[in-house]
Amino acid sequence: MKQDLNNSNNNNLVKRKVNKIGENKSSVQLQTKEEIDNRAINVTLDNIKSSERFQEILFIIVLVIVGLITRLYQIDSPPHVVFDEVHTTKYITWYLSGHHFVDTHPPLAKLIFAGVLYFSGFEGSNETDVKWWTDKGFEGTGDWKLLYTPDHHYRYVVLRTVSAVAGVILVLITYITARSVGCGRLSAFFASWLVLCDNLITLQSRLILTDVFLYVFHLSSISASFKSTRDGLTVSQQFLWCIITGILLGCALSVKFTGLGTLGTVGIHQLLCLTQKFYFDYQEGKAKLSRIFSYTVWRGTLILGSAICVCTLVWIIHILVLPYSGQGDPFMSQTFKYSLLPKVNPEALHKPPSSCPNINNAWSNCGFGGITRRQCEEKGCCFDSSSPSNWCYHKGFLTKPKVSMYTKVTESIKVTWKVNDSGAVLLHPSMSEWWQWPLMRCRLINFGGGLKGVGNPLIWWLIAIFYAIAFSYGIVRVCSEIFFYIIPIETFRTTPQQQSSSTQSTQSQSSSQSSTLQSQSNNSTNSHENDSHLTDNSMKFLVTQIVLFIGYLGNLLPFHYVQRSKFHFHYIPALLIGIIHFSFCLECLISWIMKKSNDTKKYGNLLKFVFIVNSFIMIGAFISFCWWSPWTYGFPLLKEDVSSRKLYSFW
């Protein structure tokens, strides 16, 4: 018996050891399977990221190639000055000759053109005795005409190429801005494609005009503002993005005064983001007045301070490179004109102080309006009718009063603003009103050389219809909220007896479905959601919608109060925001459908329909661009072909 017991005990020990060995093997196998699964998941994620990166690079390459083709194709045509090139080229050449001038817009874009022209080796005629004003307006030096001559290697092509490069950058900035506000790759590519296919933007990107630079800095400022409010940024990163936002904003304001619309858009975005931040802080009990004040002050100081510094620097450069009297003298005060030098022959600058004429003293005023030579000489002064400044000025050695740079900068800005808003530019045959622009029911600008400033009607009408629907939806939503606030929704619900019976059946159904719904919500994955930067936080979604909506209206409605002549290209900053906004809503729709598509097949069909419509819009935009391209590139058209392209009789 003892031997049998010992044998059974030994058998049990052997079985236990075998079982332990089996358990160890199974645990090792499980660990190995988990490691294999984790490695497989990591490899899959890496492949997804690499494919996403490849897709984004492919989109950018396509945009750059198509952008260069559409902007650079026959950029030397027409081979003569068109539209406002006659003004822009004069200002650019005056930067090189140093003659002071006053334009209706700030100087940054013209300085960029002048810098490129300077490094291209262009040399002007160095005129001295220049007639600045005639009955037809200002004339000045004839250096701008040399840009279109073969002796100077057709330098106008170089300047137009600068605009073309800025036009391609605008397409890329549109993609970056769309990604910044929360669009995925496909939606961002859709927005960039619409900008790429707009005829008016393409035309302005092919001429020596300053508008395309405004568009670039306009969208860049908005993109940087959204990047400065992303989650997870360190304090130093927030500082950096606020400074970048201010720099880009200052550049926009230094190109055209319509950049004030950009300032308003960025300001609204920053204020709403601050409101959102401190709302959540209040929910968590962290909101303190001192913290709110300090956070608001340092962000506002960095953005506005950087913008002011950039604007000031641009105007200082403008003043320093224009030391000589020129076209702008009649607009400036006598104090400012003291600081300007006469540009005359070198021999005239080395005459004795007591001799006449002495151009060194032309800045001083010894007479009065309409003074004669005899009256001037009786006062012991010099009379010089060829003087670019005063005709009657003092003799002898005179010391000019010093004028501070602050005085020069502030006066230059004030004078430019006054000229921009003056009555001299109230009437123009192609002027239009702001409410005519969204549907393009306005006169088109004849640029000359067969060029006509037509936009892409499909794109303009698409954005107009989108905002009409959005505005109508907003009104209905607000009215419904007010209605249900006055009359509670419980009034329209069932009776208490019906509610109690329905509640029991609902509880029995919900208990059986809760586990299924929970497993579906935990296991559902969405690669498109990872692609976009949309967040489940409704507050952030609401902030983006409000910023883009107000940004569109803020860049359009203020033109109601502008008294000077207005043109349909003033609508493009609002149009760019509208394209971004439409793409963002498209991204929201796609994300919502992608979430629902895991539950039912009908949402999958709806998603396919959305992508098909999206593709048709892109193809239609390109076809529309090609149809109106003769007016963009100056192709010759027969009379019947011109008539077929006129959607309105006044085109």
Side-chain angles (χ1 to χ4, degrees):
M1 292 290 293
K2 291 182 179 179
Q3 187 175 0
D4 293 337
L5 290 172
N6 291 331
N7 291 333
S8 64
N9 291 331
N10 292 332
N11 292 332
N12 291 331
L13 290 173
V14 171
K15 289 180 180 180
R16 290 175 184 175
K17 290 181 179 180
V18 171
N19 291 333
K20 287 183 179 180
I21 293 172
E23 290 176 358
N24 292 333
K25 288 183 178 180
S26 62
S27 64
V28 171
Q29 290 177 355
L30 289 174
Q31 292 177 359
T32 305
K33 288 181 180 180
E34 290 179 357
E35 291 177 357
I36 293 174
D37 291 339
N38 291 332
R39 291 176 183 175
I41 292 172
N42 293 331
V43 170
T44 304
L45 292 175
D46 292 338
N47 292 334
I48 292 174
K49 290 180 180 179
S50 61
S51 63
E52 291 175 352
R53 193 179 301 111
F54 173 77
Q55 187 182 25
E56 193 147 32
I57 293 173
L58 181 62
F59 283 162
I60 293 174
I61 291 174
V62 170
L63 293 173
V64 170
I65 292 176
V66 180
L68 289 174
I69 293 174
T70 55
R71 269 64 181 169
L72 292 176
Y73 177 70
Q74 291 189 357
I75 198 169
D76 58 336
S77 178
H80 54 78
V81 63
V82 294
F83 191 50
D84 277 351
E85 281 188 345
V86 66
H87 301 309
T88 310
T89 51
K90 286 181 179 180
Y91 300 141
I92 294 170
T93 54
W94 289 344
Y95 274 124
L96 272 62
S97 63
H99 290 100
H100 177 261
F101 66 87
V102 171
D103 185 21
T104 57
H105 305 296
L108 178 58
K110 297 182 286 290
L111 281 170
I112 295 174
F113 279 124
V116 173
L117 186 61
Y118 173 79
F119 286 109
S120 70
F122 176 80
E123 293 183 1
S125 56
N126 197 25
E127 299 179 53
T128 54
D129 299 328
V130 182
K131 189 174 183 179
W132 292 103
W133 290 90
T134 64
D135 296 336
K136 298 180 180 180
F138 63 85
E139 290 293 334
T141 62
D143 291 345
W144 65 276
K145 300 177 182 177
L146 302 178
L147 299 174
Y148 299 86
T149 60
D151 295 338
H152 288 76
H153 307 288
Y154 299 107
R155 296 299 172 88
Y156 77 98
V157 177
V158 176
L159 298 179
R160 288 183 181 176
T161 304
V162 175
S163 294
V165 172
V168 176
I169 293 174
L170 174 63
V171 175
L172 298 179
I173 290 297
T174 304
Y175 184 89
I176 295 173
T177 305
R179 294 285 279 161
S180 299
V181 302
C183 291
R185 294 185 304 277
L186 291 174
S187 300
F189 181 76
F190 174 80
S192 304
W193 186 260
L194 295 187
V195 173
L196 185 67
C197 293
D198 186 77
N199 296 74
L200 184 55
I201 295 176
T202 302
L203 177 58
Q204 290 182 311
S205 302
R206 292 170 48 83
L207 301 176
I208 311 173
L209 303 175
T210 61
D211 302 271
V212 67
F213 293 94
L214 171 66
Y215 308 152
V216 169
F217 293 124
H218 170 66
L219 284 187
S220 299
S221 302
I222 297 173
S223 176
S225 181
F226 273 89
K227 287 183 178 296
S228 70
T229 56
R230 290 177 300 173
D231 293 331
L233 293 180
T234 62
V235 176
S236 59
Q237 289 174 332
Q238 293 184 46
F239 269 67
L240 177 62
W241 277 112
C242 286
I243 293 174
I244 293 174
T245 303
I247 291 174
L248 294 172
L249 190 59
C251 291
L253 294 170
S254 299
V255 174
K256 280 194 169 185
F257 287 124
T258 46
L260 291 171
T262 312
L263 175 63
T265 304
V266 171
I268 291 293
H269 175 244
Q270 292 292 328
L271 287 176
L272 289 177
C273 287
L274 288 173
T275 304
Q276 170 194 328
K277 172 181 172 55
F278 294 117
Y279 171 78
F280 291 129
D281 287 348
Y282 176 79
Q283 295 292 330
E284 298 175 0
K286 299 179 181 179
K288 294 182 179 179
L289 184 60
S290 59
R291 184 181 178 184
I292 295 174
F293 180 77
S294 61
Y295 189 83
T296 305
V297 167
W298 74 255
R299 288 189 72 92
T301 301
L302 286 176
I303 294 176
L304 292 178
S306 301
I308 292 173
C309 289
V310 169
C311 291
T312 304
L313 179 62
V314 170
W315 280 103
I316 289 175
I317 296 173
H318 168 80
I319 292 170
L320 291 177
V321 298
L322 301 176
Y324 300 111
S325 298
Q327 168 264 357
D329 289 5
F331 300 98
M332 312 308 293
S333 65
Q334 191 67 33
T335 303
F336 189 96
K337 287 188 285 187
Y338 287 158
S339 63
L340 299 176
L341 302 173
K343 190 166 187 177
V344 295
N345 294 324
E347 306 83 47
L349 296 175
H350 299 287
K351 287 189 175 183
S354 58
S355 63
C356 287
N358 184 5
I359 201 65
N360 293 296
N361 294 345
W363 58 271
S364 66
N365 189 6
C366 187
F368 49 86
I371 190 172
T372 63
R373 178 183 293 273
R374 181 177 177 181
Q375 291 173 328
C376 180
E377 292 176 349
E378 287 178 354
K379 297 181 66 174
C381 301
C382 288
F383 185 85
D384 182 11
S385 59
S386 63
S387 171
S389 184
N390 298 302
W391 284 15
C392 183
Y393 48 82
H394 294 87
K395 292 182 181 180
F397 180 80
L398 301 177
T399 302
K400 285 187 177 183
K402 293 183 179 181
V403 183
S404 65
M405 182 59 68
Y406 173 80
T407 302
K408 294 180 182 179
V409 170
T410 53
E411 183 174 346
S412 297
I413 296 175
K414 290 178 181 178
V415 168
T416 303
W417 178 271
K418 184 178 180 180
V419 172
N420 182 278
D421 198 38
S422 66
V425 287
L426 284 178
L427 298 177
H428 193 279
S430 299
M431 63 186 295
S432 55
E433 293 296 331
W434 64 271
W435 49 268
Q436 299 173 322
W437 300 338
L439 293 177
M440 217 181 298
R441 293 185 57 86
C442 55
R443 294 183 180 274
L444 303 181
I445 301 174
N446 187 359
F447 281 68
L451 304 177
K452 213 163 193 177
V454 62
N456 192 321
L458 187 145
I459 298 173
W460 290 45
W461 293 348
L462 175 68
I463 301 305
I465 294 172
F466 164 70
Y467 275 106
I469 295 174
F471 188 72
S472 301
Y473 172 78
I475 292 177
V476 172
R477 185 67 182 270
V478 170
C479 292
S480 63
E481 291 290 339
I482 295 174
F483 177 77
F484 287 118
Y485 178 79
I486 298 174
I487 304 176
I489 195 172
E490 287 78 8
T491 307
F492 303 97
R493 291 181 176 175
T494 56
T495 61
Q497 292 80 5
Q498 293 175 336
Q499 288 183 5
S500 60
S501 60
S502 62
T503 302
Q504 294 177 357
S505 61
T506 303
Q507 288 177 352
S508 62
Q509 293 176 0
S510 61
S511 61
S512 62
Q513 295 176 358
S514 59
S515 59
T516 305
L517 293 175
Q518 185 175 1
S519 62
Q520 289 179 353
S521 62
N522 291 332
N523 296 329
S524 62
T525 57
N526 189 354
S527 61
H528 187 79
E529 183 181 1
N530 293 330
D531 171 43
S532 71
H533 300 289
L534 294 176
T535 175
D536 292 333
N537 193 322
S538 59
M539 180 69 77
K540 292 183 178 180
F541 168 79
L542 184 63
V543 165
T544 303
Q545 292 283 5
I546 293 175
V547 169
L548 296 178
F549 187 77
I550 294 179
Y552 175 83
L553 296 179
N555 283 271
L556 176 61
L557 297 182
F559 282 99
H560 174 75
Y561 302 98
V562 176
Q563 299 300 319
R564 57 160 292 172
S565 56
K566 302 178 284 288
F567 305 98
H568 64 311
F569 59 76
H570 290 135
Y571 173 65
I572 291 183
L575 178 67
L576 293 172
I577 295 180
I579 291 174
I580 299 293
H581 195 181
F582 180 81
S583 302
F584 177 73
C585 291
L586 179 65
E587 177 68 24
C588 296
L589 177 61
I590 294 174
S591 299
W592 179 78
I593 295 174
M594 291 288 284
K595 292 178 182 179
K596 295 292 184 180
S597 62
N598 294 320
D599 300 332
T600 57
K601 293 183 179 180
K602 65 177 182 179
Y603 290 106
N605 295 329
L606 180 60
L607 181 64
K608 293 178 182 179
F609 175 76
V610 171
F611 279 118
I612 291 173
V613 172
N614 186 19
S615 301
F616 271 107
I617 292 175
M618 295 178 66
I619 295 172
F622 183 73
I623 294 174
S624 179
F625 173 83
C626 295
W627 175 250
W628 275 279
S629 62
W631 286 348
T632 305
Y633 296 97
F635 298 149
L637 289 174
L638 298 177
K639 188 175 181 180
E640 52 270 21
D641 294 332
V642 174
S643 301
S644 64
R645 284 167 172 79
K646 287 185 177 182
L647 298 180
Y648 307 106
S649 59
F650 44 80
W651 275 20

